[in-house]
Amino acid sequence: MTTPALLPISGRRIPTLNPGFSSFPHHRATLRLSEKFILLLILSAFITLCFGAFFFLPDSSKHKRFDLGLEDVLIPHIDPIKEGKHPGGHIIHGQGGHDEHRHREDEEHLRNKIRADHERALEEAKEKLKKSREELRAEIQTEKNKVAQDLKKKDSKPLPPVPMPKLVGIHDGDPGDPDVKEKRDKIREMMKHAWDSYRHYGWGHNELKPLAKKGHSTNIFGNSQMGATIVDALDSLYIMGLHDEFKDGQEWIEKNLDFSVNAEVSVFEVNIRFIGGLLASYYLSGQEVFKIKAAQLAEKLLPAFNTPTGIPWAMVNLKSGVGRNWGWASAGSSILSEFGTLHMEFVHMSYLTGNPAYYNKVMHIRKQLQKMDRPNGLYPNYLNPRTGRWGQHHTSVGGLGDSFYEYLLKAWLMSDKADTEARKMYDDAIEAIEKHLIRKSNGGLTFIGEWKNGHLERKMGHLTCFAGGMFALGADGSKGDKAGHYLQLGAEIAHTCHESYDRTVLKLGPEAFKFDSGLEAVAVRQNEKYYILRPEVIETYWYMWRFTHDPKYRQWGWEAAQAIEKHCRVSGGFSGVKDVYSSSPTFDDVQQSFFLAETLKYLYLLFSSDDFLPLDSWVFNTEAHPLPVLHLANTTLSGSRVTR
């Protein structure tokens, strides 16, 4: 079965071309101007009516029309004793005529004030009508911005002070070797080209079309201009020492990043790219704005969990809180890799905000999964949030499943290895995967297939290639004496994925590759031959380098970097290609945000020293955003007792 064109898979999505936003027709601006003119006329007429009405009011002191608070507002304060009134409010005997005279003066004073207000309103209306349409629009926008800023200030809740986790290895990372440093500098230059191109042609848009040189977006962001590339790339800029670029991104986030938009977004994608990116930028730079923005967004995602089972919807409207699932996903099911890839970010949100809701939401998901039967010990990719039953029995370590397993392992690592429940779930899942999904090809290549309704499909996706790094990362702490076994398994997966690159004309890996009918590590279908700047193979190279220091991983990473530079670089940034087996491929014209967040970051780290973001102090989310290990008991976050 082919992957649907809109399939959300582990933080990456097959790009689709959106028609973009159509501009408002010209007559809309004229209509707005006419409406403003009419409103001003109505206001003037109303004031005139009020002014005229006073001439018809009965002139009698027994009507206390202006004694109901208006006197205090519109008339200068008058001493009641001096004006012939007893402090209790009674008229002093013999002073009635004087009081009546004062009353007439009060009415005259009020008439004069209303007349002045009326004349001032008419003058303002005349001044408004002299202004151009552009000036009126600018004034209206200024007022809107002021109201929006006031609302933001009103809604912003102060976050509790919490101790900053121990942060080590966030600067430098000089590899020492001049040749390696030269390669690292080249990766930094590629990052600057990607960022500068986006800055110039797509600023504020979610992504970039580097050939068309304009902004791009997909439906995972609800067609809203949320600056996904800015948020996703920010920690990469910081890590690479591009601090001027980092400041530009921070300034945009402070002034423009707004989550009160009427946009339906992917809970998963927004979590790993936006919340993950904001949290990493906060921890690396210490700038409070990132923590505040992350808290604002996390709160917007909570309504997605309002389902009968607590398994969240795939999408949620940031303004209304209404959630739903992808229409193609197995009879309205939620997807394992989506609802299973929230733990890292949500635990940090509970830690930073003092609100246990985030932690409780993800722990509830875990408890739900633990209660369910698993066919052959495997987790199917689909779960219905209404019924709590599995959907189609399809298991994958690639798209639809991948990062669920990754986050079980990383929940354990991020808890300073205190979350033993997560580690056990990971170990049990990996045992079942190795038994039912991992095979060797006739040519000796180890691959991870997909289980579909009792049948093993001998196909491996590019996304699945992250698993080599996962096996290596989880080797330490494995059951029994299997650490060496899982490190070796990681090396075998890395080798297979390198072969998928090496067997193409461009030396870039296809989206998926088969292991049957005499073909090994080669894409068969045309719709599987593309490369969209994906990071998973390079991610595995980096983990394998950190754990083995085998020089081939740096060599393979450099080969991939050169291929990207040669075949994907264009004057307006970097683009994916549609056929890695063609010597003259066409571009897909999309610079994905994850190219800056992951692909270039993993390459940069591959050519950095091991004491740069060390793996015993930092855990990378599935979008490569580093989050610090939380050295605290798993049930206590930010001083609040969290229920389990």
Side-chain angles (χ1 to χ4, degrees):
M1 183 177 74
T2 59
T3 305
L6 296 180
L7 198 61
I9 34 186
S10 186
R12 337 288 189 259
R13 175 184 295 274
I14 299 171
T16 55
L17 299 179
N18 288 336
F21 297 101
S22 59
S23 59
F24 284 111
H26 178 73
H27 73 269
R28 285 294 295 278
T30 307
L31 181 63
R32 288 190 189 120
L33 182 59
S34 302
E35 287 175 346
K36 191 168 185 67
F37 180 65
I38 290 168
L39 286 171
L40 288 168
L41 288 179
I42 292 171
L43 178 61
S44 300
F46 177 72
I47 294 173
T48 303
L49 181 64
C50 292
F51 177 65
F54 288 108
F55 292 102
F56 298 94
L57 293 174
D59 187 14
S60 172
S61 61
K62 69 179 179 180
H63 295 286
K64 304 297 182 181
R65 190 171 185 89
F66 305 109
D67 290 346
L68 303 178
L70 285 175
E71 192 172 43
D72 294 330
V73 177
L74 300 177
I75 304 171
H77 181 69
I78 301 169
D79 190 322
I81 299 293
K82 288 181 181 178
E83 290 301 312
K85 276 192 178 182
H86 186 274
H90 302 291
I91 297 174
I92 301 174
H93 182 71
Q95 300 294 326
H98 181 74
D99 184 70
E100 192 173 323
H101 174 71
R102 185 187 65 80
H103 188 68
R104 282 197 297 272
E105 285 182 349
D106 293 347
E107 287 188 353
E108 183 63 27
H109 180 86
L110 185 58
R111 286 193 190 99
N112 290 337
K113 186 178 188 309
I114 290 174
R115 184 184 295 112
D117 289 343
H118 179 207
E119 290 172 356
R120 186 169 59 253
L122 287 175
E123 285 300 316
E124 287 179 1
K126 289 176 185 176
E127 289 299 318
K128 293 286 183 189
L129 292 174
K130 289 178 185 177
K131 294 185 178 182
S132 68
R133 183 180 302 152
E134 288 70 24
E135 287 174 318
L136 285 171
R137 280 177 178 166
E139 282 191 10
I140 293 168
Q141 189 58 49
T142 299
E143 286 302 314
K144 282 170 127 182
N145 292 340
K146 185 177 181 301
V147 171
Q149 289 298 326
D150 290 343
L151 286 173
K152 283 180 185 177
K153 288 177 184 176
K154 184 179 178 183
D155 292 340
S156 61
K157 301 171 184 174
L159 298 176
V162 295
M164 181 70 85
K166 185 180 179 183
L167 306 179
V168 297
I170 61 175
H171 298 293
D172 197 14
D174 189 335
D177 185 319
D179 180 60
V180 178
K181 189 176 186 302
E182 185 179 348
K183 291 180 172 64
R184 189 172 84 142
D185 289 343
K186 177 58 185 175
I187 304 304
R188 188 174 184 266
E189 185 278 329
M190 291 169 69
M191 178 70 184
K192 188 161 178 15
H193 176 63
W195 174 265
D196 288 347
S197 298
Y198 169 78
R199 181 76 174 83
H200 192 64
Y201 302 116
W203 192 241
H205 288 265
N206 289 316
E207 291 172 318
L208 171 68
K209 295 176 74 66
L211 274 75
K213 295 183 177 178
K214 63 181 184 180
H216 171 74
S217 188
T218 62
N219 64 341
I220 57 176
F221 304 117
N223 288 331
S224 234
Q225 291 188 30
M226 294 171 63
T229 293
I230 299 173
V231 182
D232 223 3
L234 215 55
D235 59 345
S236 294
L237 294 171
Y238 190 92
I239 286 166
M240 296 184 192
L242 295 168
H243 295 302
D244 289 340
E245 291 80 357
F246 179 88
K247 286 176 184 174
D248 284 345
Q250 178 180 338
E251 184 178 340
W252 186 91
I253 286 171
E254 285 176 331
K255 294 180 178 178
N256 300 288
L257 187 56
D258 180 16
F259 302 120
S260 61
V261 292
N262 184 19
E264 189 180 53
V265 301
S266 163
V267 174
F268 162 73
E269 298 283 357
V270 165
N271 176 61
I272 65 171
R273 301 193 199 205
F274 281 79
I275 295 182
L278 290 167
L279 288 174
S281 295
Y282 165 66
Y283 284 121
L284 290 169
S285 71
Q287 297 297 313
E288 290 284 316
V289 61
F290 302 125
K291 178 172 71 170
I292 292 167
K293 292 288 185 181
Q296 290 172 354
L297 177 55
E299 191 171 9
K300 294 281 188 180
L301 298 186
L302 287 178
F305 293 81
N306 294 337
T307 66
T309 60
I311 301 296
W313 300 114
M315 292 173 287
V316 69
N317 186 295
L318 293 177
K319 191 167 189 177
S320 68
V322 175
R324 70 179 179 93
N325 276 340
W326 304 105
W328 50 262
S330 188
S333 290
S334 298
I335 297 165
L336 184 68
S337 68
E338 295 194 338
F339 66 76
T341 310
L342 303 168
H343 188 97
M344 290 180 65
E345 298 82 2
F346 274 42
V347 167
H348 273 275
M349 289 316 307
S350 277
Y351 176 71
L352 292 173
T353 66
N355 182 0
Y358 303 106
Y359 178 82
N360 288 338
K361 296 292 185 189
V362 291
M363 290 305 294
H364 179 77
I365 293 172
R366 185 187 292 183
K367 296 301 182 187
Q368 289 287 98
L369 291 173
Q370 285 179 320
K371 290 189 293 187
M372 300 183 68
D373 291 329
R374 298 191 299 279
N376 294 320
L378 299 170
Y379 289 90
N381 290 336
Y382 299 107
L383 179 60
N384 191 302
R386 290 189 178 92
T387 65
R389 298 191 184 95
W390 296 119
Q392 176 188 355
H393 282 195
H394 172 208
T395 297
S396 169
V397 185
L400 308 179
D402 49 9
S403 47
F404 164 71
Y405 306 101
E406 175 188 356
Y407 269 39
L408 289 176
L409 173 63
K410 289 180 176 179
W412 174 69
L413 291 169
M414 199 180 73
S415 70
D416 199 19
K417 302 181 179 179
D419 189 355
T420 54
E421 181 180 73
R423 177 73 211 210
K424 183 179 187 311
M425 290 177 71
Y426 170 79
D427 287 334
D428 292 347
I430 295 307
E431 273 189 18
I433 287 167
E434 188 167 13
K435 181 177 180 181
H436 297 286
L437 305 184
I438 297 180
R439 297 287 184 271
K440 269 199 189 301
S441 70
N442 293 333
L445 295 177
T446 302
F447 68 94
I448 308 174
E450 297 189 11
W451 191 264
K452 289 187 176 180
N453 295 317
H455 171 71
L456 181 68
E457 187 175 10
R458 297 170 67 85
K459 179 179 81 170
M460 188 169 172
H462 191 291
L463 288 163
T464 318
C465 287
F466 92 97
M470 179 179 71
F471 292 144
L473 184 62
D476 184 24
S478 298
K479 289 181 179 178
D481 56 353
K482 287 193 171 182
H485 167 73
Y486 283 115
L487 192 60
Q488 177 60 31
L489 182 58
E492 291 175 13
I493 297 298
H495 174 67
T496 298
C497 293
H498 174 256
E499 287 298 308
S500 77
Y501 273 52
D502 205 41
R503 298 180 187 195
T504 70
V505 172
L506 303 186
K507 304 303 178 186
L508 292 169
E511 181 70 4
F513 39 95
K514 294 279 185 88
F515 294 89
D516 58 10
S517 304
L519 296 172
E520 297 197 357
V522 174
V524 177
R525 298 177 179 178
Q526 188 60 41
N527 65 353
E528 294 174 340
K529 294 182 178 180
Y530 60 85
Y531 173 70
I532 57 170
L533 306 172
R534 287 205 188 276
E536 289 76 20
V537 174
I538 295 164
E539 176 183 354
T540 278
Y541 292 165
W542 174 60
Y543 279 113
M544 293 308 304
W545 164 257
R546 279 283 177 104
F547 289 113
T548 70
H549 286 158
D550 188 327
K552 71 183 178 187
Y553 296 116
R554 276 184 167 169
Q555 178 191 333
W556 291 352
W558 184 240
E559 289 172 4
Q562 288 178 303
I564 292 169
E565 173 78 1
K566 182 177 180 180
H567 301 296
C568 299
R569 184 168 182 151
V570 295
S571 63
F574 289 86
S575 170
V577 292
K578 294 182 179 179
D579 189 346
V580 293
Y581 299 96
S582 169
S583 56
S584 55
T586 55
F587 295 108
D588 66 14
D589 197 18
V590 179
Q591 180 176 282
Q592 307 277 351
S593 80
F594 57 69
F595 176 65
L596 293 82
E598 300 184 76
T599 310
L600 292 175
K601 183 185 291 159
Y602 283 130
L603 281 168
Y604 189 81
L605 292 173
L606 180 61
F607 299 109
S608 298
S609 59
D610 286 5
D611 59 2
F612 192 44
L613 297 173
L615 292 174
D616 56 353
S617 298
W618 295 89
V619 184
F620 288 72
N621 87 336
T622 197
E623 191 77 357
H625 296 307
L627 301 177
V629 169
L630 293 176
H631 300 272
L632 41 81
N634 199 43
T635 54
T636 307
L637 298 166
S638 190
S640 301
R641 188 73 182 175
V642 180
T643 60
R644 296 190 63 175

